[in-house]
Amino acid sequence: MSAREFVVLGTASQVPTRHRNHNGYLLRWDGEGILFDPGEGTQRQMLLAGVAAHDLTRICVTHFHGDHSLGLAGVIQRINLDRVPHPIAAHYPASGRHFFERLRYATAYRETVALREEPVSGDGGLIADTPAFTLEARRLSHPVESYGYRLVEPDGHRMLPERLAAYGVRGPAVGRLQREGALATEEHGTVTLDQVSEARPGQRFAFIMDTRLCEGVEALAEGCDLLVIESTFLDEDVRLAEDHGHLTAGQAARVAAAAGVRHLVLTHFSQRYGDPDVFARQARAAGFEGELTVAHDLLRVPVPKRLP
């Protein structure tokens, strides 16, 4: 199993269908498990996808329409029932705090897990800063307050064994060189990190749900290795998309192409459409040439391998 993968739990907008559950998505990122927009039925979809409550470390809600949040009650009770041993952070629009509280305490249960509520407000910005990545939120354009999320891994270095050997750096000295950036040696003097490594660009992921085109969409998508974005409507229904605060397949694809996205995942489809292949055709017609996936329930999408 990939240490970095995106697990699709549900892909329907507004109402579930026979083939599509309400929204629900999990990003596995090394030791983190970030659950996005748990709609109704997410707890069962987690079971079908092999996702355990113990896998979760964060919950990110873009907005408080039911198809993106009604599953919170079940998921929160499940993490307490299973006695998840670590704290879990919950990010959501601050204007919807009363909705989150209602869902969190929808029925009686015993709280056993430290669930930290960390609401997002204003234009968003940095909401988590860890040694492994930063997590940002950006305001989107929807009839209710909505945010997209972006994970950015810091740039680093890839150690080159042949250069390490040439400079006589081995064992614990390799780790010390990585930490300190330079190492004093008897034979070669000061050896710097740049002499024995090459740049390793950090990976980037973004999750964009219900929104019209806006600055937040462009900022979130910029340079992503993996972009998950709603495409509720087909291009011929662009006026409906604008009226209801959504994107079309072509709009989402043009954003991804302009942002240099490597792998584009389209999701959140209106129940009015029966053929998912049409979304792919419209995305290609809009000029997106990277890897393209039209999501379906229980799909697993690996984060693309690093660029050299």
Side-chain angles (χ1 to χ4, degrees):
M1 180 183 295
S2 172
R4 295 184 179 181
E5 67 172 357
F6 186 74
V7 183
V8 179
L9 303 175
T11 55
S13 71
Q14 195 171 40
V15 297
T17 72
R18 293 179 180 179
H19 305 289
R20 296 186 182 277
N21 197 72
H22 262 175
N23 290 281
Y25 310 88
L26 177 79
L27 176 67
R28 297 187 191 272
W29 193 274
D30 301 334
E32 290 261 354
I34 306 176
L35 179 66
F36 293 94
D37 281 8
E40 186 178 353
T42 292
Q43 184 181 180
R44 181 173 181 274
Q45 295 296 97
M46 288 170 59
L47 177 66
L48 294 175
V51 175
H54 282 64
D55 296 334
L56 307 184
T57 57
R58 295 180 188 273
I59 299 172
C60 292
V61 178
T62 59
H63 66 293
F64 284 100
H65 278 153
D67 55 327
H68 297 261
S69 61
L70 281 175
L72 277 168
V75 169
I76 291 173
Q77 291 192 26
R78 184 59 182 268
I79 64 178
N80 283 277
L81 178 66
D82 288 3
R83 296 178 178 271
V84 171
H86 50 261
I88 294 179
H91 309 285
Y92 58 84
S95 63
R97 184 191 294 268
H98 56 298
F99 294 125
F100 188 90
E101 292 295 323
R102 289 173 187 171
L103 290 162
R104 181 175 182 177
Y105 299 111
T107 65
Y109 66 98
R110 182 180 179 184
E111 287 191 285
T112 63
V113 176
L115 179 63
R116 304 191 313 270
E117 295 185 30
E118 300 180 2
V120 184
S121 60
D123 292 328
L126 182 67
I127 58 175
D129 189 357
T130 78
F133 61 82
T134 58
L135 187 65
E136 309 166 11
R138 290 294 185 104
R139 183 75 177 266
L140 300 174
S141 175
H142 197 53
V144 301
E145 189 174 43
S146 184
Y147 290 90
Y149 296 94
R150 175 180 168 92
L151 184 150
V152 177
E153 179 186 34
D155 294 337
H157 290 81
R158 179 183 292 106
M159 306 303 285
L160 302 175
E162 66 279 6
R163 293 190 188 177
L164 289 168
Y167 284 98
V169 180
R170 60 180 64 87
V174 176
R176 191 160 69 250
L177 178 57
Q178 286 179 298
R179 292 190 301 272
E180 300 175 7
L183 181 72
T185 67
E186 291 185 5
E187 185 177 357
H188 300 282
T190 299
V191 178
T192 66
L193 185 58
D194 289 340
Q195 290 175 299
V196 295
S197 68
E198 62 183 9
R200 185 205 67 188
Q203 292 188 302
R204 301 176 184 183
F205 164 87
F207 182 82
I208 300 172
M209 284 295 112
D210 300 17
T211 183
R212 304 175 183 90
L213 291 174
C214 63
E215 291 182 3
V217 171
E218 296 175 358
L220 290 163
E222 183 60 35
C224 279
D225 296 275
L226 182 64
L227 171 65
V228 178
I229 188 168
E230 69 119 316
S231 60
T232 307
F233 291 96
L234 293 175
D235 291 344
E236 53 267 31
D237 293 320
V238 64
R239 289 193 176 182
L240 277 176
E242 178 66 23
D243 289 345
H244 294 284
H246 288 289
L247 297 173
T248 70
Q251 287 174 329
R254 282 188 287 274
V255 166
V261 168
R262 297 177 59 204
H263 190 158
L264 171 64
V265 178
L266 301 179
T267 187
H268 193 272
F269 307 111
S270 170
Q271 67 272 20
R272 72 186 61 222
Y273 307 116
D275 182 6
D277 291 339
V278 179
F279 288 88
R281 290 197 293 270
Q282 291 196 353
R284 291 300 189 196
F288 182 74
E289 298 178 353
E291 191 168 357
L292 174 64
T293 297
V294 176
H296 60 79
D297 291 18
L298 307 182
L299 175 70
R300 310 179 93 91
V301 182
V303 176
K305 292 182 178 180
R306 295 183 186 281
L307 291 171

